[in-house]
Amino acid sequence: MNGYTFKDGEMMMWVGVRDPNKAKYPGLYDNMVAGGISSGYNIWDTLVKEADEEANIPAEILSHRAKPAGAISYTIVNEYGIAPEVEFVYDLELPSDFVPANNDGEVEGFELMTIARVKEVVVTDKFKPNCAGVVIDFLIRHGLVAPDNTASYVEILNLLHSPHPF
């Protein structure tokens, strides 16, 4: 889930920083809220659980403000094999005075970034790769990355919505 707010009329995005002791992607930037869907949970239940655990976002804020924003799809190829993935995307506009706080120890902290800073770090190896796609999708949907200002715009769209090989 992308968490964003406005400060003095400027859009800002909350970005998580993963715990440096996590086995995978320690210390990297991450979505404000993210997590796999466990058995017995649906997408909404997972979002509510993860929002509470990772960012201390009350369910009542989610129910009134979180908006489903589609999905991205891609295939991971690594030393473990080939894995088709789908990330369900939500956007959450937060009150300007809200500050996320981690409850489960998986997040070291949060940074409130300008969109310019988000654009700068999302394309580096400082951002968890699959979460970067969710942020780039947000930037596209909000007109912050567009065909007139991004040479590889169509390629990016194709990468965010890749068909699975099987």
Side-chain angles (χ1 to χ4, degrees):
M1 180 172 65
N2 298 296
Y4 68 100
T5 192
F6 290 87
K7 297 268 186 183
D8 300 321
E10 180 182 11
M11 181 184 277
M12 311 276 288
M13 180 177 271
W14 283 106
V15 176
V17 179
R18 295 171 64 82
D19 185 277
N21 297 311
K22 285 198 64 80
K24 292 184 179 179
Y25 306 107
L28 294 187
Y29 289 120
D30 200 340
N31 300 121
M32 181 182 189
V33 173
I37 302 169
S38 300
S39 177
Y41 284 84
N42 62 31
I43 297 164
W44 181 256
D45 292 339
T46 299
L47 182 65
V48 170
K49 178 178 83 65
E50 294 292 337
D52 176 58
E53 291 174 359
E54 293 186 357
N56 199 31
I57 301 171
E60 55 271 10
I61 287 181
L62 284 178
S63 64
H64 295 297
R65 293 176 178 247
K67 305 287 185 229
I72 65 168
S73 58
Y74 54 90
T75 301
I76 296 174
V77 179
N78 61 25
E79 66 272 15
Y80 303 110
I82 300 171
E85 295 281 335
V86 173
E87 304 275 340
F88 295 98
V89 179
Y90 282 77
D91 292 341
L92 177 64
E93 183 176 346
L94 291 157
S96 61
D97 61 348
F98 179 84
V99 178
N102 182 251
N103 289 327
D104 68 0
E106 293 186 9
V107 178
E108 181 178 49
F110 295 91
E111 290 184 28
L112 183 60
M113 295 185 180
T114 64
I115 295 302
R117 177 74 176 137
V118 170
K119 286 175 155 183
E120 181 183 304
V121 299
V122 77
V123 296
T124 70
D125 60 0
K126 295 177 184 175
F127 219 102
K128 187 176 177 225
N130 64 327
C131 297
V134 172
V135 172
I136 292 168
D137 177 70
F138 175 91
L139 296 171
I140 290 168
R141 288 183 292 99
H142 289 265
L144 303 165
V145 168
D148 290 338
N149 65 19
T150 307
S152 54
Y153 185 79
V154 172
E155 181 181 1
I156 293 168
L157 291 176
N158 289 331
L159 289 170
L160 291 175
H161 303 285
S162 299
H164 295 307
F166 40 85

